[in-house]
Amino acid sequence: MTLRDGIHRLNALLEHDLSPMPLVTVFLGYWLPLEWMLRGWVMLGSTTPLEKCQALGASVLLNFLPAALAVALLIYLGGALSLFARVPYPRAVSWGMGHGANLLILAVTALAIKLAWMGSETAPLWIKRGVLVFLVLGALGLVWRGLFLARCLVIPRWIALCILPLALGFLTQEALIQQKRVQGRGPVALSRSAPDIILVTLDALSSRHLSCYGYSRPTSPHLDAFAQDAILFEGFYANANWTRPGFASLLNGARPWTHAGDLGRPLRSVRENQNLLGCLARAGYEIRTVSSNAFADHAWQGTPTRCTERVLVQGGLFHTTVGLDLLPSSVFANGVGPALYLQQGVPSLFQSPSRDRTRLPLAWAEEMLGRAPTGRPRFFWLHLVPPHDPYATPDPFLGRFEPSSLVRGVRESAADYRFAAGGNPERQKLLEGRYDEAVSYVDAAVGQLLDWLKAHGRFEGSLVVVSADHGESFSHGYGGHGGPLLTEDLVRVPCLIKPPGHTGAKRVSRLFEQADLAPTLLHMAGLPIPLGMEGQPYPLKAEGLPTFSMNRDLSTRKPTFSLAMRQGNWKYVVHFGPWAQPWPRRELYDLDRDPNENQNMIEGRPEIVGPMHRRILEELTKRGLKPEAP
């Protein structure tokens, strides 16, 4: 057989009704461009070519495989149809590959429509809407004309034959590299007295709304009681103003300009041996996590560490154990498409999880903590969504601070996530009251967990930490979190640490940030701190060092970059890039005299602004970041 004959036979095979190539070509020509349009290429702007290829490979693999399995099921159903209905098998399979794949395209399009409005961190809304309208019409056209029309419209089949092996190759390469890293490290000597570490994080909790931090309302009686046996950090700053980059800083001891965790892709310059979970697992700790927010789930952080037990609880109505820890970390950068549901273990395309706040995953937490001891210390991380919006809570918390009959439902109590045109003081007052009720609700949940630890003898000898990923804004005309602002409401968060055997209350006025938490926990557990961590541990951190908070806003056509530096009593904020917000481009506040940031002193103190601005530019230059100057 000559080469030409072989090519003709291969082409005939690809054209055969039983060939999966129509599905492959429709996927590569239709769904993959849609996904990358929704995610926005700006998310991969600072990545290396290898990282781009790895992310592309992960997208192909994780989005194509569920679709391929679905069509394979249709083929088997076609075989059953031919057996029981006496339809010729080729015709039955052709029906499955044609009409069945068309239905799959419609389902994927419906999923894309749903996901397109989930967040503002993807491509600009006008692009998403235009692309989605075009693709909906295209999907309807495919159903009308049949799948075989797509075989003439999409990319050549030889590209499809090349893409999948390349995708598998890149993923295999990363897996082998990670395996070498793991094999190349020996175990860390673990002290016999190594304590259990229990980390509790609360979503969108601002320290300004806790009574133990001086708030006027009694929102946190259980955390107030915990503070009597803990170290309370008065000036603890989130490194970002939304969940994913905040937790990336907390887990990796690195700031967002280093790990780039706000860009929706694998973390940059962070490896397992520079990650809190990886360090603890290497030291012999069992790792157990319960998370009620996918962005807080360690896998979404790109952490390659395998957990002993890991549960992701979404919406409060269903629970799922996610078992994808064997996959390379790059697959978790994918936040759109069937892979999103594959990662979360939720095979639903059309029904959103309920946002019922009456069911917190405390039963899962207590069940995990109650597992029989194995002779190894345990790291347990519980993340609770409240007081994240919607702020409506169950009885008896609803109406505790705001008796109004308004803003009591899930829809009405959602944050605005924008600058309110002209401001709406009445709505702001109502939302803030509901938020404080949500704070009381989650405070009671934390109190229940702490009481369980004490009742089972797990409190005194454990290292117990309560903190948050970011705060929440009800001031300066902005509602919610994320976005361009870095006000104290958004970035000043609680941090309470009870070391093993610690008694009595202690308050620390020295400034700390999320990047300091991972090295602090390692230091208190008697473990070495990796060189790759930027943060410094308590109590070894020197006086006078600055903290940094930042956010990259991907919702604008040209992304902006906001950065805040706190040193001493001064806080300097600069907004790089295009700026069309009703807010000054540069800000300077004396927080001792102006804690609510009402008086911008940017024009009157050049001797303060100059050194702080130069320090920020130096730090950005070190990391190859060159945002447009204000």
Side-chain angles (χ1 to χ4, degrees):
M1 182 177 63
T2 64
L3 178 61
R4 178 174 297 179
D5 292 337
I7 293 175
H8 284 310
R9 290 191 180 185
L10 177 61
N11 185 64
L13 176 63
L14 299 182
E15 296 287 349
H16 195 275
D17 288 338
L18 303 184
S19 170
M21 281 303 110
L23 176 68
V24 176
T25 52
V26 167
F27 167 73
L28 292 175
Y30 173 82
W31 170 245
L32 190 62
L34 167 66
E35 180 194 353
W36 286 84
M37 179 63 73
L38 290 179
R39 291 176 64 187
W41 280 101
V42 68
M43 294 184 179
L44 296 170
S46 61
T47 59
T48 65
L50 179 59
E51 288 175 328
K52 287 186 175 70
C53 292
Q54 288 175 335
L56 177 64
S59 173
V60 171
L61 187 64
L62 285 188
N63 283 307
F64 174 72
L65 286 182
L69 292 174
V71 173
L73 178 62
L74 290 172
I75 293 175
Y76 283 112
L77 291 177
L81 181 66
S82 67
L83 179 63
F84 294 104
R86 297 184 179 180
V87 177
Y89 182 73
R91 183 180 300 176
V93 174
S94 178
W95 182 91
M97 291 298 295
H99 299 290
N102 286 330
L103 293 175
L104 183 66
I105 290 174
L106 281 180
V108 165
T109 303
L111 174 64
I113 294 172
K114 174 189 170 186
L115 293 178
W117 281 274
M118 281 185 64
S120 60
E121 66 274 9
T122 55
L125 189 59
W126 66 272
I127 291 182
K128 293 192 290 189
R129 286 179 174 172
V131 171
L132 287 171
V133 168
F134 174 78
L135 290 170
V136 169
L137 295 176
L140 293 174
L142 288 175
V143 172
W144 180 256
R145 298 294 301 274
L147 178 66
F148 293 104
L149 176 62
R151 298 171 69 172
C152 304
L153 297 178
V154 296
I155 59 178
R157 292 169 186 76
W158 65 268
I159 296 182
L161 290 174
C162 296
I163 287 291
L164 289 179
L166 286 175
L168 291 171
F170 281 120
L171 292 177
T172 302
Q173 178 196 32
E174 181 172 329
L176 292 176
I177 291 175
Q178 290 182 358
Q179 186 65 23
K180 285 184 179 179
R181 292 194 193 105
V182 174
Q183 292 176 350
R185 297 192 302 266
V188 174
L190 190 61
S191 170
R192 292 184 179 180
S193 60
D196 286 353
I197 302 175
I198 299 169
L199 172 64
V200 179
T201 53
L202 310 175
D203 212 305
L205 178 59
S206 174
S207 63
R208 294 184 144 205
H209 287 260
L210 295 176
S211 41
C212 56
Y213 277 84
Y215 192 47
S216 57
R217 285 172 169 166
T219 56
S220 54
H222 297 90
L223 285 177
D224 297 351
F226 176 60
Q228 298 306 308
D229 291 314
I231 304 170
L232 185 148
F233 293 82
E234 296 176 338
F236 189 82
Y237 281 86
N239 288 123
N241 63 8
W242 72 285
T243 300
R244 188 170 191 260
F247 276 126
S249 294
L250 186 151
L251 292 176
N252 295 289
R255 300 182 179 112
W257 56 29
T258 299
H259 60 64
D262 55 344
L263 302 181
R265 60 179 178 80
L267 303 186
R268 181 181 63 195
S269 303
V270 173
R271 296 292 180 256
E272 186 176 13
N273 60 343
Q274 298 171 351
N275 175 272
L276 176 63
L277 271 62
C279 292
L280 293 175
R282 181 185 170 205
Y285 272 78
E286 289 185 353
I287 309 294
R288 302 182 189 272
T289 66
V290 177
S291 177
S292 49
N293 183 344
F295 284 119
D297 182 59
H298 92 282
W300 279 62
Q301 298 292 332
T303 303
T305 302
R306 293 182 60 188
C307 290
T308 309
E309 191 173 7
R310 168 171 159 244
V311 170
L312 175 61
V313 181
Q314 283 289 82
L317 285 187
F318 51 82
H319 310 265
T320 175
T321 301
V322 185
L324 291 179
D325 291 332
L326 292 176
L327 294 175
S329 61
S330 64
V331 304
F332 299 112
N334 185 38
V336 179
L340 175 69
Y341 285 89
L342 180 64
Q343 289 170 20
Q344 297 185 13
V346 184
S348 168
L349 294 178
F350 304 105
Q351 184 178 4
S352 297
S354 168
R355 306 194 77 173
D356 179 14
R357 296 313 183 86
T358 64
R359 299 179 62 183
L360 293 176
L362 291 179
W364 283 85
E366 293 173 1
E367 181 180 345
M368 271 195 191
L369 287 169
R371 297 271 193 267
T374 62
R376 298 167 57 191
R378 284 175 278 191
F379 172 81
F380 175 75
W381 176 23
L382 170 66
H383 179 71
L384 299 177
V385 169
H388 190 292
D389 77 301
Y391 308 125
T393 57
D395 294 329
F397 304 94
L398 187 63
R400 173 174 292 183
F401 299 119
E402 183 51 65
S404 171
S405 60
L406 303 175
V407 193
R408 284 178 169 254
V410 172
R411 293 181 181 272
E412 297 84 2
S413 63
D416 294 327
Y417 289 98
R418 60 184 175 85
F419 285 99
N424 189 337
E426 183 61 26
R427 175 169 169 76
Q428 176 180 321
K429 176 178 178 294
L430 290 173
L431 286 177
E432 191 165 15
R434 296 287 175 255
Y435 174 81
D436 288 341
E437 291 163 4
V439 172
S440 289
Y441 172 47
V442 77
D443 172 76
V446 174
Q448 179 180 331
L449 180 68
L450 295 176
D451 289 342
W452 187 95
L453 292 173
K454 293 175 181 177
H456 290 78
R458 301 283 300 279
F459 182 79
E460 294 296 334
S462 297
L463 173 55
V464 184
V465 184
V466 179
S467 191
D469 51 354
H470 54 80
E472 194 82 337
S473 176
F474 298 94
S475 62
H476 302 98
Y478 190 84
H481 51 269
L485 297 190
L486 296 168
T487 58
E488 292 290 282
D489 291 338
L490 286 166
V491 297
R492 198 165 184 171
V493 296
C495 182
L496 297 94
I497 301 178
K498 186 207 75 67
H502 179 86
T503 57
K506 182 176 182 179
R507 302 180 78 94
V508 176
S509 59
R510 196 183 318 168
L511 296 179
F512 283 85
E513 56 189 321
Q514 281 174 333
D516 297 325
L517 189 55
T520 295
L521 298 186
L522 292 174
H523 175 72
M524 289 184 172
L527 297 173
I529 300 170
L531 295 177
M533 287 188 174
E534 288 181 274
Q536 297 189 29
Y538 170 84
L540 304 181
K541 185 174 183 178
E543 294 269 5
L545 293 180
T547 66
F548 296 92
S549 303
M550 56 203 78
N551 185 54
R552 181 170 177 140
D553 183 7
L554 302 177
S555 62
T556 56
R557 187 172 183 180
K558 293 183 178 180
T560 60
F561 186 84
S562 302
L563 202 152
M565 176 179 172
R566 170 78 194 271
Q567 190 164 26
N569 59 307
W570 294 102
K571 179 179 178 180
Y572 173 59
V573 187
V574 57
H575 303 281
F576 295 97
W579 191 249
Q581 307 288 359
W583 197 257
R585 292 289 299 269
R586 297 199 299 161
E587 311 163 60
L588 180 70
Y589 302 104
D590 183 349
L591 294 181
D592 285 352
R593 298 182 179 181
D594 181 25
N596 295 321
E597 301 167 285
N598 293 322
Q599 184 180 0
N600 187 359
M601 304 176 65
I602 193 66
E603 301 296 337
R605 302 300 299 266
E607 75 281 5
I608 301 294
V609 173
M612 297 181 83
H613 190 78
R614 285 193 295 271
R615 172 68 184 273
I616 287 174
L617 293 180
E618 289 173 1
E619 295 288 349
L620 294 177
T621 301
K622 287 179 186 176
R623 293 156 180 86
L625 299 173
K626 299 179 181 180
E628 181 180 329

